[in-house]
Amino acid sequence: MIDLLVKNATLPDGRKVDIAVAQGRIAEVAPAITGEAADTIDARGYLVSPPFIDAHFHMDATLSLGMPRLNQSGTLLEGIALWGELKPLLTQEAVVERALRYCDLAVAQGLLAIRTHVDVCDDRLLCVEALLEVRKRIKPYIDLQIVAFPQDGFYRDPNAKKNLLRALDMGVEIVGGIPHGERTMADGAASLKELCEIAAKRGLLVDIHCDETDDPLSRHVETLAYETQRLGLQGRVVGSHLTSMHSMDNYYASKLIGLMAEAGLHATPNPLINITLQGRNDTYPKRRGMTRVPELRAAGINVSFGHDCVMDPWYPLGQGDMLEAASMGLHVGLMTSPDQMRWAFDAVTVNPAKALHLEGYGLAKGCKADFVVLQAKTPVEALRLKANRLKVVKAGKVIAETPERVGTLHLDGRPKTVNGADYAPRI
Ligand code: FE2
C-alpha cells in the first residue's frame, strides 16, 4: 500500500519521476507509478529535493539579537564579548523557546537536519540542558546533532575541559574546539591533540571551529589533519570556517589542501558569516574571508556550506534559508560556472549529509521519505529564486507548506501574472 504518491516530480539530476512512499520510506522512484495511494501530491514538474541540511549552527544563541545590546562594530570579537555578557542572563526556558521558534522557521524552509554547536563554557551547562531538551522535542521533524563547543577556549577557560567532558557524559555527541582562541599557537595545537584523543577514545565525531581568523599563520587545520590521520579518524572530522586559508601563502595552501584530503577531513565554510566577520581590519582591498572552496573541492574534499548564525550577537540577519547560504557561497567563491552553481546546491544537501553521517538520506528507494517540493525546475533555478518550499515532507507526511509565489501584474498588454519559475532555465 502506498501511503503517499508524488506525481510529476523533477529530481535534482533532471529525471522526471513519480515517488511512492510506504511506512516512512521511499518505496519506489520511477516514471508513471500506478496504484492506490492514501495521499497524492502533484509536483507539476517542480523540483523535489532531499531536505536541506545545516552543517554548522549555533542554536543556543539564535534569535537573541539585541540581548543585552547590539553588536556595534560587527566584529567576531565584539560578538564573542556580547555573548559573554548575555550568558549569565540566560534562562533554560528562554533558550528552549528561542530554539523551538527557530526550528519552526527551519522546517518551513525545508531544513530538516541541523548540526549545532553548544557553548560549554558555563558551569551551569544551561545551554547544554536546553538543547538536549530541544533535540528531544523536535525529534519528530528535525535531526539535531550537538557539538560540545568550548567558546572561551578549551585551555583558556579554566573549567572548559571539565565542562566539555560533562556535556559529553550528558549526551552531547560531537567534540568541538576553538584552537585559534587559545592563548598561544602551541596551546591551540595541543588542544586539538587532546580533543581528537577524547573523540577517538569515546568513538565520537569531531567538528572544530578552526582558524576563524584573517591571520595567514593560523595553521591549526594542519594539526587537525595530522591528528585525524594519526588517530584513524578519517571521514569523522570537520574543519569549520577555515577562514585563515583565504589569506595563506599560496604554496603553503597547496601543500595543506593535500594533507587535508589525505586525512579525509570535511570542510564547512559559513559564507554569510565569513564574508561579514572577516576582513574587518582591512582598509582596501578588503579580503572576502571565505576559505578556498573551489580548490578544496578540486582536491576531493567534501565541502558543505553552513548558516552558522541567525539573528544573534554575530549576525543580525538570516531566516534559516540554506539556499541563501549557498547563494552567498557561490558568489563569494566566484563559482558561477554551471557545474559550480549546481555543486552549490549539493553543498547544502548531499554534502552535509555525508559530513553529518546521516542515515537514509536521499531520494533513492529505501531512503527516508523526507523531501521538499520547491518552486523551481532545477537546483540552479532554486538558488536563483531562493525558491519557495511548496511542501516539506517528513517520514511521508506533509509538515509544512508555503503557497506559490506568483506576482499579479496590472500592465496593459503584458501577462496578468509572473512566476519566476516560468522563465525556462537553461542550466
Ligand atoms: Fe560557528
Side-chain angles (χ1 to χ4, degrees), residues 10 48 54 63 67 134 141 189 240 263 269 295 297 316 329 334 380 394:
T10 302
V48 176
D54 186 356
L63 305 188
M67 299 176 197
V134 169
Y141 49 94
S240 282
E295 293 77 9
R297 183 188 168 213
L334 304 176
V380 173
K394 174 77 182 175

Side-chain angles (χ1 to χ4, degrees), residues 77 80 150-157 177-184 187-188 191 209-213 218 220:
L77 292 181
I80 293 172
Q151 171 78 73
D152 299 330
F154 185 61
Y155 293 141
R156 192 169 175 181
D157 179 299
I178 183 167
H180 56 279
E182 305 294 350
R183 289 193 177 86
T184 64
D187 266 10
S191 76
H209 278 69
C210 200
D211 302 318
E212 189 182 2
T213 158
S218 188
H220 294 296

Side-chain angles (χ1 to χ4, degrees), residues 59 96 99-100 103 130-138 144:
M59 203 175 275
V96 169
L100 290 175
C103 291
L131 292 195
L132 288 170
E133 172 65 20
V134 169
R135 182 168 71 183
K136 219 184 301 167
R137 303 226 328 233
I138 65 174
L144 185 67

Side-chain angles (χ1 to χ4, degrees), residues 56 58 209 241 308:
H56 187 112
H58 293 264
H209 278 69
H241 292 295
D308 202 10

Side-chain angles (χ1 to χ4, degrees), residues 10 13 76 88 110 126 161 221 233-234 246 271 276 301 334 355 395 415 425:
T10 302
D13 63 12
L76 173 60
L126 177 145
K161 181 174 170 179
V221 64
L233 293 172
Q234 289 88 342
H246 185 90
T276 47
I301 293 167
L334 304 176

